[in-house]
Amino acid sequence: MSFKSIVRELKEMKDGIGSISRRGEVEGRHWRNRTRTHIAPDVVPFDPNQQGQWANIPPELLLDIVRRVEESETSFPARTAVVFCASVCKSWREVTKEIVKTPEECGRLTFPISLKQPGPRESPIHCFIKRDRANSVYRLYFGLTPSEDESDKLLLAAKRIRRATSTDFVISLVSDDFSRASSTYVGKLRSNFLGTKFTIYDNQLPSDAAIQHRGRLRRRFSTKQVSPTVSACNYSIATVSYELNVLRTRGPRRMHCAMHSIPFSSIQEGGSAPTPTSFPQYFDEKSSPALVSKAKEPSVNSSSTVSVPSREPLVLKNKAPRWHEQLQCWCLNFKGRVTVASVKNFQLVAAVDPSHNIPAAVQETTILQFGKIGKDIFTMDYCYPLSAFQAFAICLSSFDTKPACE
């Protein structure tokens, strides 16, 4: 049987492989609706009686098949073939997870956890954001620019919720379910009253180790009203601050991002950024009653603080633009990725003290850039040590109204 025939048969397998959600619940609409994430699920329920002939393939042949699929299909929609391989059965999924590398290593997004892992070091991952003004929804897609047939692959979505003293951007893996009790919830962004300071919350620790700062641990909702299979905490992982423009002088916004979950050592030689390998542990009432009991009666309340070892966090600052005399505007070199002037446009680089002895090339590396290319369409390019989730949350802060900063 040829290689293409194997992939074709995988696509036609019973029960529609690829319609399995990240949490392991079979929901075909997740794959038929283009606004849903098209990245492979993280947990899949396996029925030994339903695996069929594909589960009995010799390990050497299976390894060769999955490796060839992974190497040949480097971008969506063709990369969905890797998704199919990961969804066949338990043995196929284990081999696929072993072969597929992190975005930092291969520069590609495959599994949902890829959105929480650092981007590549050499070249950025290109994405774009579509703003839906009517519904206050922001969708992050993979790719350089929107396609004509609107078949773009959704990565994340956020909904803006205005409150009396703040604004929340609830971030989800899908664009039609922003409930914080949902399994698709991944985090949120919250602003202060003036819109000058934002806090990024993650629904999980960014790695197996604790966050390297004294972060606040918040309950997302009353655990009595939620299934015990859902994580009930938010972890503060970063803060985004915009400087007040008291004198109302002309110029771009000035911002700083303190990435508490990323140590400064990550950009030093030999350093590394936290890389989670799976989503939070979801409690199974049948398999672990003890864990369920702990989940229903957590010992942490909404005002408690997590005590963890302290490390110097990575701080990002916006790259200073130059004033163009002929155009009479502030300019930055976005390398063709931004085409419309906007106060929202920015580039972030590491804020480095001279005592750190960081090479000039590293100091000038653009870690995140965001800018406008059309009506309600913006590009977002990010690289190591930021993840897609962190980059998206930072960009969302630019959409909130900031009269005191402009």
Side-chain angles (χ1 to χ4, degrees), residues 24-73:
E25 298 175 354
V26 180
E27 298 178 353
R29 60 193 179 92
H30 278 212
W31 291 86
R32 291 191 295 269
N33 188 340
R34 74 172 187 85
T35 63
R36 289 196 175 266
T37 178
H38 284 59
I39 298 180
D42 187 59
V43 180
V44 180
F46 301 106
D47 184 350
N49 298 323
Q50 297 291 332
Q51 292 187 18
Q53 60 180 342
W54 297 103
N56 301 319
I57 292 181
E60 297 79 6
L61 177 58
L62 174 57
L63 189 66
D64 181 62
I65 291 174
V66 177
R67 181 179 287 113
R68 291 174 62 184
V69 172
E70 201 279 334
E71 292 176 352
S72 62
E73 314 299 357

Short mmCIF file of all heavy atoms in Angstrom, two decimals, residues 24-73:
data_model
loop_
_atom_site.label_atom_id
_atom_site.label_comp_id
_atom_site.label_asym_id
_atom_site.label_seq_id
_atom_site.Cartn_x
_atom_site.Cartn_y
_atom_site.Cartn_z
N GLY A 24 -10.90 15.33 24.34
CA GLY A 24 -11.23 13.93 24.16
C GLY A 24 -12.71 13.67 23.97
O GLY A 24 -13.15 12.53 24.00
N GLU A 25 -13.52 14.70 23.80
CA GLU A 25 -14.94 14.51 23.57
C GLU A 25 -15.20 14.55 22.09
O GLU A 25 -14.77 15.45 21.40
CB GLU A 25 -15.74 15.62 24.26
CG GLU A 25 -15.55 15.61 25.77
CD GLU A 25 -16.25 16.80 26.40
OE1 GLU A 25 -16.75 17.64 25.64
OE2 GLU A 25 -16.30 16.86 27.62
N VAL A 26 -15.92 13.55 21.58
CA VAL A 26 -16.17 13.48 20.14
C VAL A 26 -17.24 14.49 19.78
O VAL A 26 -18.39 14.34 20.13
CB VAL A 26 -16.62 12.06 19.75
CG1 VAL A 26 -16.89 11.98 18.26
CG2 VAL A 26 -15.56 11.05 20.16
N GLU A 27 -16.81 15.54 19.08
CA GLU A 27 -17.73 16.58 18.65
C GLU A 27 -17.39 16.92 17.21
O GLU A 27 -16.50 17.70 16.95
CB GLU A 27 -17.60 17.81 19.54
CG GLU A 27 -17.97 17.53 21.01
CD GLU A 27 -17.78 18.76 21.86
OE1 GLU A 27 -17.27 19.77 21.34
OE2 GLU A 27 -18.17 18.73 23.03
N GLY A 28 -18.09 16.31 16.28
CA GLY A 28 -17.79 16.52 14.88
C GLY A 28 -17.86 17.97 14.46
O GLY A 28 -17.14 18.40 13.56
N ARG A 29 -18.69 18.73 15.13
CA ARG A 29 -18.82 20.12 14.74
C ARG A 29 -17.53 20.90 15.02
O ARG A 29 -17.32 21.96 14.43
CB ARG A 29 -19.99 20.78 15.46
CG ARG A 29 -19.87 20.76 16.98
CD ARG A 29 -21.19 21.13 17.63
NE ARG A 29 -21.13 21.10 19.07
CZ ARG A 29 -20.83 22.15 19.80
NH1 ARG A 29 -20.58 23.30 19.23
NH2 ARG A 29 -20.81 22.04 21.13
N HIS A 30 -16.67 20.43 15.86
CA HIS A 30 -15.39 21.10 16.10
C HIS A 30 -14.56 21.14 14.83
O HIS A 30 -13.74 22.01 14.65
CB HIS A 30 -14.61 20.36 17.19
CG HIS A 30 -15.05 20.76 18.57
ND1 HIS A 30 -14.19 20.78 19.64
CD2 HIS A 30 -16.25 21.14 19.03
CE1 HIS A 30 -14.85 21.15 20.71
NE2 HIS A 30 -16.09 21.37 20.37
N TRP A 31 -14.74 20.13 13.97
CA TRP A 31 -13.93 20.06 12.76
C TRP A 31 -14.69 20.54 11.53
O TRP A 31 -14.09 20.92 10.55
CB TRP A 31 -13.45 18.62 12.56
CG TRP A 31 -12.47 18.27 13.62
CD1 TRP A 31 -12.71 17.80 14.88
CD2 TRP A 31 -11.06 18.42 13.54
NE1 TRP A 31 -11.55 17.64 15.56
CE2 TRP A 31 -10.52 18.00 14.77
CE3 TRP A 31 -10.19 18.85 12.54
CZ2 TRP A 31 -9.17 18.01 15.04
CZ3 TRP A 31 -8.83 18.85 12.80
CH2 TRP A 31 -8.34 18.44 14.04
N ARG A 32 -15.99 20.48 11.57
CA ARG A 32 -16.75 20.95 10.41
C ARG A 32 -16.92 22.44 10.41
O ARG A 32 -17.14 23.05 9.38
CB ARG A 32 -18.12 20.26 10.41
CG ARG A 32 -18.04 18.77 10.11
CD ARG A 32 -19.42 18.22 9.85
NE ARG A 32 -20.27 18.29 11.02
CZ ARG A 32 -20.37 17.31 11.90
NH1 ARG A 32 -19.63 16.22 11.77
NH2 ARG A 32 -21.18 17.42 12.95
N ASN A 33 -16.83 23.06 11.57
CA ASN A 33 -16.98 24.51 11.67
C ASN A 33 -15.61 25.15 11.55
O ASN A 33 -14.72 24.89 12.33
CB ASN A 33 -17.60 24.85 13.04
CG ASN A 33 -17.97 26.32 13.12
OD1 ASN A 33 -17.44 27.13 12.36
ND2 ASN A 33 -18.87 26.63 14.02
N ARG A 34 -15.41 26.00 10.56
CA ARG A 34 -14.08 26.55 10.32
C ARG A 34 -13.62 27.48 11.43
O ARG A 34 -12.44 27.81 11.51
CB ARG A 34 -14.05 27.33 9.00
CG ARG A 34 -14.76 28.68 9.09
CD ARG A 34 -14.54 29.49 7.84
NE ARG A 34 -15.06 30.82 7.96
CZ ARG A 34 -14.39 31.82 8.49
NH1 ARG A 34 -13.19 31.63 8.97
NH2 ARG A 34 -14.93 33.02 8.58
N THR A 35 -14.54 27.94 12.28
CA THR A 35 -14.14 28.84 13.35
C THR A 35 -13.58 28.09 14.54
O THR A 35 -13.18 28.69 15.50
CB THR A 35 -15.33 29.69 13.83
OG1 THR A 35 -16.34 28.82 14.37
CG2 THR A 35 -15.90 30.51 12.70
N ARG A 36 -13.54 26.77 14.48
CA ARG A 36 -12.98 26.00 15.59
C ARG A 36 -11.53 25.66 15.32
O ARG A 36 -11.06 25.66 14.20
CB ARG A 36 -13.80 24.73 15.82
CG ARG A 36 -15.17 25.04 16.41
CD ARG A 36 -15.78 23.79 16.98
NE ARG A 36 -17.03 24.11 17.64
CZ ARG A 36 -17.13 24.35 18.92
NH1 ARG A 36 -16.08 24.33 19.68
NH2 ARG A 36 -18.31 24.61 19.45
N THR A 37 -10.82 25.34 16.38
CA THR A 37 -9.41 25.02 16.24
C THR A 37 -9.22 23.77 15.40
O THR A 37 -9.94 22.80 15.52
CB THR A 37 -8.75 24.84 17.61
OG1 THR A 37 -7.38 24.49 17.39
CG2 THR A 37 -9.41 23.77 18.44
N HIS A 38 -8.21 23.79 14.53
CA HIS A 38 -7.91 22.65 13.68
C HIS A 38 -6.59 22.02 14.07
O HIS A 38 -5.88 21.46 13.25
CB HIS A 38 -7.85 23.09 12.21
CG HIS A 38 -9.21 23.32 11.63
ND1 HIS A 38 -10.08 24.24 12.15
CD2 HIS A 38 -9.85 22.74 10.59
CE1 HIS A 38 -11.20 24.25 11.43
NE2 HIS A 38 -11.08 23.35 10.49
N ILE A 39 -6.23 22.12 15.35
CA ILE A 39 -5.02 21.50 15.85
C ILE A 39 -5.39 20.21 16.54
O ILE A 39 -6.47 20.07 17.09
CB ILE A 39 -4.29 22.46 16.82
CG1 ILE A 39 -3.89 23.73 16.05
CG2 ILE A 39 -3.05 21.81 17.39
CD1 ILE A 39 -3.19 24.74 16.88
N ALA A 40 -4.48 19.26 16.53
CA ALA A 40 -4.78 17.92 17.02
C ALA A 40 -5.22 17.93 18.48
O ALA A 40 -4.78 18.76 19.26
CB ALA A 40 -3.55 17.03 16.88
N PRO A 41 -6.11 17.01 18.87
CA PRO A 41 -6.55 16.92 20.26
C PRO A 41 -5.43 16.46 21.16
O PRO A 41 -4.49 15.80 20.72
CB PRO A 41 -7.68 15.88 20.20
CG PRO A 41 -7.34 15.05 19.01
CD PRO A 41 -6.72 16.00 18.01
N ASP A 42 -5.53 16.81 22.43
CA ASP A 42 -4.48 16.46 23.38
C ASP A 42 -4.77 15.15 24.08
O ASP A 42 -3.87 14.42 24.45
CB ASP A 42 -4.33 17.57 24.43
CG ASP A 42 -3.15 17.32 25.33
OD1 ASP A 42 -2.03 17.24 24.81
OD2 ASP A 42 -3.35 17.18 26.55
N VAL A 43 -6.04 14.84 24.30
CA VAL A 43 -6.42 13.60 24.96
C VAL A 43 -7.52 12.94 24.15
O VAL A 43 -8.48 13.59 23.77
CB VAL A 43 -6.94 13.87 26.39
CG1 VAL A 43 -7.34 12.57 27.05
CG2 VAL A 43 -5.87 14.57 27.21
N VAL A 44 -7.37 11.67 23.85
CA VAL A 44 -8.34 10.96 23.03
C VAL A 44 -8.78 9.69 23.73
O VAL A 44 -7.95 8.94 24.23
CB VAL A 44 -7.72 10.57 21.66
CG1 VAL A 44 -8.73 9.83 20.81
CG2 VAL A 44 -7.23 11.81 20.94
N PRO A 45 -10.10 9.44 23.84
CA PRO A 45 -10.56 8.20 24.46
C PRO A 45 -10.36 7.03 23.50
O PRO A 45 -10.68 7.12 22.33
CB PRO A 45 -12.06 8.48 24.68
CG PRO A 45 -12.42 9.46 23.61
CD PRO A 45 -11.20 10.31 23.39
N PHE A 46 -9.83 5.95 24.02
CA PHE A 46 -9.54 4.81 23.17
C PHE A 46 -10.37 3.62 23.62
O PHE A 46 -10.43 3.29 24.80
CB PHE A 46 -8.05 4.45 23.24
CG PHE A 46 -7.16 5.58 22.80
CD1 PHE A 46 -6.44 6.30 23.73
CD2 PHE A 46 -7.07 5.92 21.45
CE1 PHE A 46 -5.63 7.34 23.32
CE2 PHE A 46 -6.25 6.95 21.05
CZ PHE A 46 -5.53 7.67 21.97
N ASP A 47 -10.98 2.96 22.67
CA ASP A 47 -11.74 1.74 22.91
C ASP A 47 -11.00 0.60 22.24
O ASP A 47 -10.92 0.54 21.01
CB ASP A 47 -13.16 1.89 22.34
CG ASP A 47 -14.02 0.68 22.65
OD1 ASP A 47 -13.48 -0.34 23.15
OD2 ASP A 47 -15.24 0.75 22.40
N PRO A 48 -10.42 -0.33 23.01
CA PRO A 48 -9.63 -1.40 22.42
C PRO A 48 -10.39 -2.19 21.38
O PRO A 48 -9.81 -2.74 20.44
CB PRO A 48 -9.26 -2.28 23.62
CG PRO A 48 -9.38 -1.37 24.81
CD PRO A 48 -10.48 -0.42 24.47
N ASN A 49 -11.71 -2.27 21.51
CA ASN A 49 -12.51 -3.04 20.57
C ASN A 49 -12.74 -2.30 19.26
O ASN A 49 -13.25 -2.87 18.30
CB ASN A 49 -13.86 -3.38 21.20
CG ASN A 49 -13.70 -4.25 22.44
OD1 ASN A 49 -12.84 -5.11 22.48
ND2 ASN A 49 -14.52 -3.99 23.45
N GLN A 50 -12.41 -1.01 19.22
CA GLN A 50 -12.67 -0.21 18.04
C GLN A 50 -11.39 0.14 17.28
O GLN A 50 -11.44 0.85 16.29
CB GLN A 50 -13.39 1.09 18.45
CG GLN A 50 -14.75 0.89 19.09
CD GLN A 50 -15.78 0.38 18.09
OE1 GLN A 50 -15.68 0.64 16.91
NE2 GLN A 50 -16.76 -0.37 18.57
N GLN A 51 -10.21 -0.32 17.73
CA GLN A 51 -8.96 0.10 17.11
C GLN A 51 -8.73 -0.57 15.76
O GLN A 51 -8.13 0.01 14.88
CB GLN A 51 -7.80 -0.17 18.06
CG GLN A 51 -7.86 0.73 19.30
CD GLN A 51 -6.62 0.58 20.16
OE1 GLN A 51 -5.61 0.07 19.70
NE2 GLN A 51 -6.71 1.00 21.40
N GLY A 52 -9.17 -1.78 15.58
CA GLY A 52 -9.07 -2.43 14.28
C GLY A 52 -7.65 -2.78 13.89
O GLY A 52 -6.74 -2.87 14.70
N GLN A 53 -7.48 -2.95 12.57
CA GLN A 53 -6.21 -3.44 12.06
C GLN A 53 -5.06 -2.46 12.22
O GLN A 53 -3.90 -2.86 12.29
CB GLN A 53 -6.37 -3.77 10.58
CG GLN A 53 -6.77 -2.56 9.74
CD GLN A 53 -6.91 -2.89 8.27
OE1 GLN A 53 -6.40 -3.91 7.82
NE2 GLN A 53 -7.63 -2.05 7.54
N TRP A 54 -5.36 -1.15 12.32
CA TRP A 54 -4.30 -0.16 12.38
C TRP A 54 -3.50 -0.26 13.69
O TRP A 54 -2.34 0.15 13.74
CB TRP A 54 -4.89 1.24 12.23
CG TRP A 54 -5.53 1.45 10.91
CD1 TRP A 54 -6.86 1.45 10.64
CD2 TRP A 54 -4.88 1.65 9.66
NE1 TRP A 54 -7.08 1.65 9.31
CE2 TRP A 54 -5.88 1.78 8.68
CE3 TRP A 54 -3.54 1.74 9.27
CZ2 TRP A 54 -5.58 2.00 7.35
CZ3 TRP A 54 -3.25 1.96 7.94
CH2 TRP A 54 -4.26 2.08 6.99
N ALA A 55 -4.09 -0.80 14.75
CA ALA A 55 -3.38 -0.90 16.02
C ALA A 55 -2.34 -2.02 16.01
O ALA A 55 -1.48 -2.07 16.89
CB ALA A 55 -4.37 -1.14 17.16
N ASN A 56 -2.41 -2.89 15.02
CA ASN A 56 -1.51 -4.04 14.99
C ASN A 56 -0.35 -3.87 14.02
O ASN A 56 0.36 -4.84 13.72
CB ASN A 56 -2.30 -5.30 14.61
CG ASN A 56 -3.42 -5.59 15.60
OD1 ASN A 56 -3.23 -5.44 16.81
ND2 ASN A 56 -4.59 -5.99 15.10
N ILE A 57 -0.14 -2.68 13.51
CA ILE A 57 0.97 -2.43 12.60
C ILE A 57 2.28 -2.58 13.36
O ILE A 57 2.42 -2.08 14.49
CB ILE A 57 0.86 -1.03 11.98
CG1 ILE A 57 -0.33 -0.97 11.03
CG2 ILE A 57 2.12 -0.64 11.24
CD1 ILE A 57 -0.51 0.36 10.36
N PRO A 58 3.29 -3.24 12.80
CA PRO A 58 4.59 -3.37 13.45
C PRO A 58 5.15 -2.01 13.84
O PRO A 58 5.04 -1.03 13.07
CB PRO A 58 5.46 -4.05 12.38
CG PRO A 58 4.48 -4.78 11.52
CD PRO A 58 3.25 -3.94 11.50
N PRO A 59 5.75 -1.90 15.02
CA PRO A 59 6.26 -0.59 15.50
C PRO A 59 7.20 0.09 14.52
O PRO A 59 7.15 1.32 14.36
CB PRO A 59 6.97 -0.97 16.81
CG PRO A 59 6.31 -2.23 17.25
CD PRO A 59 5.95 -2.97 16.01
N GLU A 60 8.10 -0.68 13.87
CA GLU A 60 9.05 -0.07 12.94
C GLU A 60 8.33 0.57 11.76
O GLU A 60 8.65 1.68 11.33
CB GLU A 60 10.05 -1.12 12.43
CG GLU A 60 10.93 -1.72 13.51
CD GLU A 60 10.23 -2.79 14.32
OE1 GLU A 60 9.08 -3.15 13.96
OE2 GLU A 60 10.80 -3.25 15.32
N LEU A 61 7.32 -0.13 11.22
CA LEU A 61 6.55 0.41 10.10
C LEU A 61 5.73 1.62 10.53
O LEU A 61 5.65 2.62 9.81
CB LEU A 61 5.63 -0.67 9.53
CG LEU A 61 4.71 -0.25 8.37
CD1 LEU A 61 5.53 0.29 7.20
CD2 LEU A 61 3.83 -1.41 7.94
N LEU A 62 5.14 1.53 11.71
CA LEU A 62 4.34 2.65 12.22
C LEU A 62 5.20 3.88 12.40
O LEU A 62 4.81 5.00 12.03
CB LEU A 62 3.70 2.25 13.56
CG LEU A 62 2.94 3.35 14.31
CD1 LEU A 62 1.83 3.93 13.43
CD2 LEU A 62 2.36 2.80 15.60
N LEU A 63 6.40 3.69 12.96
CA LEU A 63 7.30 4.82 13.16
C LEU A 63 7.67 5.46 11.83
O LEU A 63 7.70 6.70 11.71
CB LEU A 63 8.56 4.33 13.88
CG LEU A 63 9.53 5.40 14.38
CD1 LEU A 63 8.89 6.23 15.49
CD2 LEU A 63 10.82 4.77 14.88
N ASP A 64 7.91 4.65 10.82
CA ASP A 64 8.27 5.17 9.50
C ASP A 64 7.12 5.92 8.87
O ASP A 64 7.30 6.99 8.27
CB ASP A 64 8.72 4.02 8.60
CG ASP A 64 9.14 4.50 7.22
OD1 ASP A 64 10.12 5.29 7.14
OD2 ASP A 64 8.49 4.12 6.23
N ILE A 65 5.90 5.39 9.00
CA ILE A 65 4.72 6.05 8.41
C ILE A 65 4.51 7.42 9.03
O ILE A 65 4.37 8.44 8.32
CB ILE A 65 3.47 5.17 8.61
CG1 ILE A 65 3.56 3.90 7.77
CG2 ILE A 65 2.20 5.96 8.24
CD1 ILE A 65 2.44 2.92 8.03
N VAL A 66 4.48 7.47 10.35
CA VAL A 66 4.21 8.74 11.03
C VAL A 66 5.32 9.75 10.77
O VAL A 66 5.06 10.94 10.56
CB VAL A 66 4.04 8.51 12.55
CG1 VAL A 66 3.84 9.83 13.27
CG2 VAL A 66 2.86 7.59 12.82
N ARG A 67 6.57 9.29 10.74
CA ARG A 67 7.68 10.21 10.48
C ARG A 67 7.57 10.81 9.07
O ARG A 67 7.81 12.01 8.88
CB ARG A 67 9.01 9.48 10.64
CG ARG A 67 10.23 10.40 10.39
CD ARG A 67 11.55 9.68 10.58
NE ARG A 67 11.80 9.43 11.99
CZ ARG A 67 11.83 8.22 12.54
NH1 ARG A 67 11.62 7.14 11.77
NH2 ARG A 67 12.06 8.05 13.82
N ARG A 68 7.21 9.98 8.09
CA ARG A 68 7.07 10.48 6.73
C ARG A 68 5.92 11.47 6.61
O ARG A 68 6.02 12.47 5.89
CB ARG A 68 6.88 9.31 5.76
CG ARG A 68 8.12 8.44 5.61
CD ARG A 68 7.84 7.23 4.75
NE ARG A 68 7.45 7.58 3.40
CZ ARG A 68 7.07 6.69 2.48
NH1 ARG A 68 7.01 5.41 2.79
NH2 ARG A 68 6.73 7.10 1.27
N VAL A 69 4.82 11.21 7.31
CA VAL A 69 3.70 12.14 7.29
C VAL A 69 4.11 13.47 7.91
O VAL A 69 3.83 14.55 7.38
CB VAL A 69 2.49 11.54 8.05
CG1 VAL A 69 1.38 12.58 8.19
CG2 VAL A 69 1.96 10.32 7.32
N GLU A 70 4.78 13.40 9.05
CA GLU A 70 5.17 14.62 9.77
C GLU A 70 6.15 15.46 8.96
O GLU A 70 6.06 16.69 8.94
CB GLU A 70 5.79 14.24 11.12
CG GLU A 70 5.77 15.37 12.15
CD GLU A 70 6.89 16.36 11.97
OE1 GLU A 70 7.94 15.97 11.42
OE2 GLU A 70 6.73 17.53 12.36
N GLU A 71 7.07 14.82 8.28
CA GLU A 71 8.08 15.55 7.51
C GLU A 71 7.52 16.13 6.22
O GLU A 71 7.99 17.18 5.76
CB GLU A 71 9.26 14.61 7.19
CG GLU A 71 10.07 14.21 8.41
CD GLU A 71 11.16 13.22 8.06
OE1 GLU A 71 11.16 12.75 6.90
OE2 GLU A 71 11.99 12.91 8.93
N SER A 72 6.53 15.48 5.63
CA SER A 72 6.01 15.93 4.34
C SER A 72 4.92 16.99 4.46
O SER A 72 4.77 17.84 3.58
CB SER A 72 5.46 14.74 3.54
OG SER A 72 4.38 14.13 4.22
N GLU A 73 4.16 16.96 5.56
CA GLU A 73 3.06 17.91 5.72
C GLU A 73 3.46 18.95 6.75
O GLU A 73 3.35 18.75 7.95
CB GLU A 73 1.78 17.18 6.18
CG GLU A 73 1.48 15.90 5.40
CD GLU A 73 1.25 16.14 3.92
OE1 GLU A 73 1.27 17.29 3.49
OE2 GLU A 73 1.06 15.16 3.18
#
